[in-house]
Amino acid sequence: MRFETKAVHSGGQVDEGSGAVAPPIHLSTTFERSASDGGPSRGFSYIRDSNPTQARLEEALAAIDSAEGALAFASGMAAVSALMQSVPSGSHVVLADDGYYAVRVLASDFFPRWGLSYDLVPMETTSAVQRALLPNTRAVWCESPSNPLMKIVDLRALAAVTHSAGAILIADNTFATPALQRPIELGADVVMHSTTKYLGGHSDVQGGSLAFRARNDWYERAEHARTIAGGVASPFNSWLVLRGIRSLAARMRVHCENARIVARFLEKHRGVEAVHYPGLSSHPGHEIAARQMSDFGGMMSFRVKGGREEALRVAGRTRVFVRATSLGGTESLIEHRASSEGPTSRTPENLLRLSIGLEHPEDLVEDLAQALE
Ligand SMILES: *Cc1c(COP(=O)(O)O)cnc(C)c1O
C-alpha cells in the first residue's frame, strides 16, 4: 500500500460494537480482567500500560514510518527521554550540534545522572560523526532537516557508519514527516517525532512518538521506560494525533508548495543575507535532500541583513505570520529563534524561523515583503 492510503486507513478499523467509521475515544483508565485466570480479558489492563485509542495511533505510526512497532508519548521530549533512559549506563551518545535545543538541555542536565556521556557533532559531515564514535558509543541521534539551520544529514551514509561502530541510528523526523522522508527505509533504527507538529497538524495537541525498525530490545526498554516513568499520551491526545495523520499527505503537499514560493521570494530580497531551505539549489545539502526526501517541507529559516534588532523589527511587523514558537500547523508562524531558545542558544541573532502554513502563498509573500520594507 502507498503512503497516502496507509495514512488514511491504518489504525482505522470500523468499531466492532457500533459500526462507527471514525474511531471511538476510550477514556477508561482500567479494563475488565478475565474471570478464569485474572489476566487481561481483551489485551488491556491499565491506561498507563496501553489502551485502545493509543493502540490505534501506534498502529498508524508504525505503518507510516515503515516500522515494525511504534510507541506514542505525551510529548516529543517524553519520547526522547524514554529512549535515552533506554541507553545502558556507561554509554556514549553522539548528538547533532544543530538540533532541537531541549535535547541538548536533556543531555547537559540529565545524561550525567543517567551515567551517559555525549558529544555534539556537525552531522552534515559524515566523517565528523565517524571520528566522534567511541568504543562505548551506543547511539547516534540525528535530525534532518535540522532545527533551526536546516542542515541536511546523509541518512544512508550515517546509518552505515553508525552500524559499523555497533551503535543505533536515531532520526528526529519532525521537520520532514514520514510523508516526505522515511529514515527507516534509509537505514535508521528508530524514528522520533514531535507529533505536536505536522502529525497533529493544527497546533492543538501535544504528543511524541518512537517508531522502531524492529520490535527489539530497544523497543522493549523504551516501552518499559514509558510505563514506569509515565510519559503517556492521553486517549484524547492520541485520538487527535491519529486524526491529524489522516490528512498529513495532503497537507504536506501544500506546505511544500507554499514554502518553495516563499523561499524563492526571500532568496531574491536585498534585505535578506541568507535563506536556509533545502529546496533551494544554493543549499549545501540540496542534492542529498533531493535523494532522500520526496519534497523539501514547510520549514525554513533566513538571516536578515543587520543583527538582532533588525530581525526583531521584521518579526514585529508581520500581519499574516503569527509570532510564536512551534511549527507544523495550518497557520504560518515566524519566530526569533535565539529569543525562544534562551541564553544557551547557539542560533544566530539575525535568524528568523518560518513555519509555512496553508494560507495562499501570495498572502505570505506580500506579508514578508511589507515586513522587510
Ligand atoms: C518540538 C520538537 C521537539 C520536542 O517536541 P515536544 O512535543 O515539544 O516535546 C523535538 N524535536 C523537534 C525537531 C521539534 O521541533
Side-chain angles (χ1 to χ4, degrees):
M1 221 184 269
R2 290 161 188 82
F3 179 82
E4 288 80 353
T5 314
K6 286 197 259 186
V8 167
H9 288 284
S10 51
Q13 314 73 311
V14 167
D15 180 48
E16 283 291 331
S18 65
V21 172
I25 307 175
H26 287 287
L27 296 174
S28 187
T29 55
T30 187
F31 299 85
E32 188 182 43
R33 300 184 83 89
S34 111
S36 51
D37 64 359
S41 59
R42 297 161 186 82
F44 299 106
S45 169
Y46 181 59
I47 189 170
R48 181 154 42 74
D49 303 330
S50 63
N51 61 79
T53 316
Q54 176 182 284
R56 280 181 183 262
L57 170 60
E58 290 176 341
E59 197 181 317
L61 289 168
I64 61 176
D65 254 319
S66 305
E68 209 174 276
L71 297 168
F73 291 85
S75 68
M77 286 310 297
V80 176
S81 301
L83 195 56
M84 289 298 103
Q85 286 169 331
S86 308
V87 180
S89 171
S91 306
H92 174 252
V93 178
V94 178
L95 299 175
D97 66 340
D98 185 60
Y100 190 66
Y101 79 105
V103 174
R104 289 197 301 274
V105 178
L106 185 83
S108 67
D109 295 4
F110 292 89
F111 279 17
R113 295 186 212 174
W114 298 339
L116 303 176
S117 61
Y118 68 98
D119 280 300
L120 300 176
V121 176
M123 295 206 178
E124 69 278 20
T125 316
T126 309
S127 58
V129 179
Q130 184 136 40
R131 283 193 297 277
L133 293 166
L134 302 175
N136 63 335
T137 304
R138 295 295 304 274
V140 173
W141 187 289
C142 71
E143 196 179 308
S144 185
S146 70
N147 183 5
L149 290 176
M150 305 298 297
K151 290 192 196 177
I152 297 295
V153 171
D154 185 336
L155 292 170
R156 212 182 271 285
L158 193 59
V161 161
T162 303
H163 291 156
S164 65
I168 62 161
L169 179 64
I170 306 157
D172 183 334
N173 204 30
T174 300
F175 274 27
T177 83
L180 308 181
Q181 171 174 277
R182 290 183 287 282
I184 287 176
E185 292 176 8
L186 298 163
D189 302 278
V190 185
V191 173
M192 176 258 156
H193 292 284
S194 167
T195 58
T196 313
K197 316 295 169 53
Y198 286 105
L199 272 62
H202 297 76
S203 306
D204 56 9
V205 59
Q206 181 144 60
S209 68
L210 298 173
F212 296 79
R213 161 188 296 283
R215 270 176 101 116
N216 54 17
D217 53 334
W218 284 94
Y219 171 92
E220 301 294 338
R221 288 201 296 266
E223 186 181 32
H224 185 57
R226 180 184 67 180
T227 301
I228 298 307
V232 204
S234 76
F236 185 55
N237 284 4
S238 296
W239 186 88
L240 279 173
V241 174
L242 181 61
R243 177 196 226 257
I245 289 172
R246 299 301 183 228
S247 59
L248 178 66
R251 284 185 284 111
M252 289 316 293
R253 278 188 212 128
V254 180
H255 285 298
C256 292
E257 192 48 42
N258 285 357
R260 211 180 331 275
I261 293 166
V262 170
R264 283 186 191 140
F265 161 77
L266 288 173
E267 194 178 36
K268 286 198 235 91
H269 198 285
R270 59 194 151 61
V272 173
E273 185 182 282
V275 183
H276 306 295
Y277 183 62
L280 295 173
S281 54
S282 58
H283 188 288
H286 175 68
E287 268 162 40
I288 295 166
R291 241 186 0 248
Q292 66 191 15
M293 301 173 78
S294 61
D295 206 339
F296 303 100
M299 292 302 298
M300 72 184 70
S301 58
F302 68 103
R303 300 193 208 189
V304 300
K305 283 190 186 145
R308 176 186 171 85
E309 293 314 309
E310 183 58 16
L312 287 170
R313 191 191 71 89
V314 171
R317 286 166 52 92
T318 59
R319 297 176 196 142
V320 178
F321 281 84
V322 181
R323 277 176 303 285
T325 192
S326 199
L327 58 120
T330 56
E331 66 292 315
S332 291
L333 301 178
I334 186 165
E335 178 186 34
H336 183 248
R337 190 69 192 156
S339 300
S340 299
E341 293 182 343
T344 60
S345 173
R346 303 157 66 102
T347 301
E349 286 286 354
N350 65 341
L351 180 137
L352 293 170
R353 193 183 80 176
L354 301 179
S355 171
I356 302 298
L358 304 182
E359 301 92 339
H360 194 288
E362 291 310 322
D363 288 328
L364 300 178
V365 165
E366 282 168 23
D367 191 34
L368 291 171
Q370 64 80 27
L372 280 159
E373 250 164 38

